Amino acid sequence: MRLGVLDVGSNTVHLLVVDAHPGARPLPAHSHKEELRLAQLLDAQGAIGPEGVEQLISTLHDALQAAEDKGVEDLLPFATSAVREATNADEVLARITAETGVALQVLTGAEEARLTFLAARRWFGWSAGKLLVLDIGGGSLEIGYGMDEEPDAAVSLPLGAGRLTAGWLPGDPADPADVRALRRHVRAQIARTVGEFARFGKADHAVATSKTFKQLARLAGAARTADGLYVQRELKRESLEHWVPRLAAMTVAERSELPGVSDGRANQLLAGALVAEGALDLFGLESVEICPWALREGVILRRLDSLPDL
């Protein structure tokens, strides 16, 4: 069947269309993406304002039209931290349903971590052993660990690159004092969770997903996206330690000129790099392998697993 995953994230609204059936690898057929930056459209009370709601509904209409055009027969719509944590989430969700017909499933942070872990497990297989999976989104950082397809531990921290940029790094270039303060905040948040994972023992394989990790790996010399899914890509902690001070000294415009960094993500790359560096350091990782699959693929795989045998 042709499945569509409609992901209302903190940075983008992304429709991923795949051709899939149980027991087979989902084959990407179409991608429709619009940057919305919901995490940065929240007002002082933490609500999505009227302009943000209008933009979201308009963007959803575009995505639904794309899904119809591409022949999607089963649409899986979900939202993550920006909608989940908005103080007017119920009101926004009701209006979305009334005006678009879409009933967004709001994932919890733990569900995000578990579904991303499932995608990484299926990508790397059982031979990878105990997996530690890191995923930096726009609104949150997800961490999962385990031997099976269901992680033994899964947490979500409010350390998304977009959220941290909006709340901690107003300057361009960033004020060094702000960077130091954010670094302390990030490491304190991550350090609180390390013990929860340490009791399970050292991971056999550490992997990272998400646009932030992919862009950081590209800066460190990893292959381009155009080189294909199956090229192994790695991000070393040593490279992050080299790049963080460089990114901190750059303006957003200067970061956007770096290889693999899009204009829309340049502003939040520094915050993402601080989270990535802190996670690798505190978990004692010298490097992580970049996983092409993440949350959207996890949602697809879970849906396929629920289908009856033919």
Side-chain angles (χ1 to χ4, degrees):
M1 66 167 59
R2 178 154 280 195
L3 291 174
V5 177
L6 183 54
D7 175 1
V8 179
S10 298
N11 285 317
T12 61
V13 173
H14 189 169
L15 170 71
L16 176 64
V17 178
V18 300
D19 292 320
H21 63 269
R25 174 175 61 91
L27 296 173
H30 180 70
S31 177
H32 175 91
K33 184 189 303 183
E34 292 189 46
E35 290 198 358
L36 192 58
R37 300 181 183 276
L38 270 182
Q40 298 179 33
L41 292 176
L42 302 180
D43 62 22
Q45 287 71 46
I48 302 174
E51 181 182 352
V53 176
E54 292 293 341
Q55 291 182 39
L56 175 55
I57 289 174
S58 175
T59 302
L60 287 173
H61 277 302
D62 292 342
L64 291 171
Q65 184 62 57
E68 180 182 322
D69 292 345
K70 297 301 177 181
V72 169
E73 51 188 302
D74 190 0
L75 185 67
L76 310 173
F78 67 90
T80 55
S81 64
V83 173
R84 178 171 70 234
E85 296 170 14
T87 56
N88 61 337
D90 290 342
E91 174 188 333
V92 171
L93 291 168
R95 186 172 167 193
I96 287 171
T97 301
E99 297 195 25
T100 70
V102 171
L104 284 178
Q105 177 189 1
V106 180
L107 300 178
T108 67
E111 286 171 334
E112 282 191 62
R114 288 197 293 268
L115 288 165
T116 302
F117 185 89
L118 171 64
R121 170 58 73 194
R122 293 281 177 92
W123 181 268
F124 288 107
W126 299 113
S127 64
K130 292 179 286 186
L131 279 181
L132 177 65
V133 180
L134 306 173
D135 180 8
I136 302 172
S140 57
L141 163 68
E142 274 69 51
I143 309 169
Y145 174 97
M147 186 73 179
D148 301 318
E149 292 196 338
E150 184 69 21
D152 296 313
V155 300
S156 177
L157 301 175
L159 297 177
R163 176 202 297 268
L164 296 178
T165 300
W168 292 79
L169 300 175
D172 185 21
D175 186 303
D178 291 337
V179 176
R180 287 194 297 273
L182 177 55
R183 185 180 188 274
R184 288 193 297 270
H185 170 73
V186 164
R187 286 170 177 259
Q189 290 278 317
I190 296 173
R192 293 174 186 168
T193 71
V194 170
E196 182 175 345
F197 293 88
R199 63 192 178 93
F200 292 106
K202 185 176 177 61
D204 297 311
H205 197 52
V207 304
T209 74
S210 78
K211 190 71 170 180
T212 294
F213 272 115
K214 290 175 183 177
Q215 290 186 336
L216 291 170
R218 180 75 181 95
L219 286 183
R224 302 168 304 162
T225 301
D227 292 332
L229 289 178
Y230 301 106
V231 177
Q232 185 174 357
R233 295 170 176 87
E234 184 182 50
L235 176 61
K236 295 183 178 179
R237 189 172 79 199
E238 180 182 11
S239 297
L240 282 170
E241 292 169 348
H242 168 75
W243 271 103
V244 165
R246 292 185 62 184
L247 293 171
M250 293 179 178
T251 64
V252 171
E254 288 170 336
R255 287 183 216 142
S256 68
E257 297 296 322
L258 295 171
V261 178
S262 63
D263 290 342
R265 299 279 183 149
N267 73 315
Q268 61 186 49
L269 187 61
L270 171 58
L274 287 167
V275 175
E277 181 191 34
L280 267 66
D281 189 8
L282 289 164
F283 278 97
L285 306 173
E286 294 301 322
S287 66
V288 288
E289 185 174 354
I290 305 301
C291 179
W293 281 4
L295 177 59
R296 284 181 289 275
E297 287 78 10
V299 171
I300 292 168
L301 292 167
R302 181 62 53 83
R303 176 72 179 95
L304 290 175
D305 287 348
S306 71
L307 295 177
D309 294 333
L310 298 180

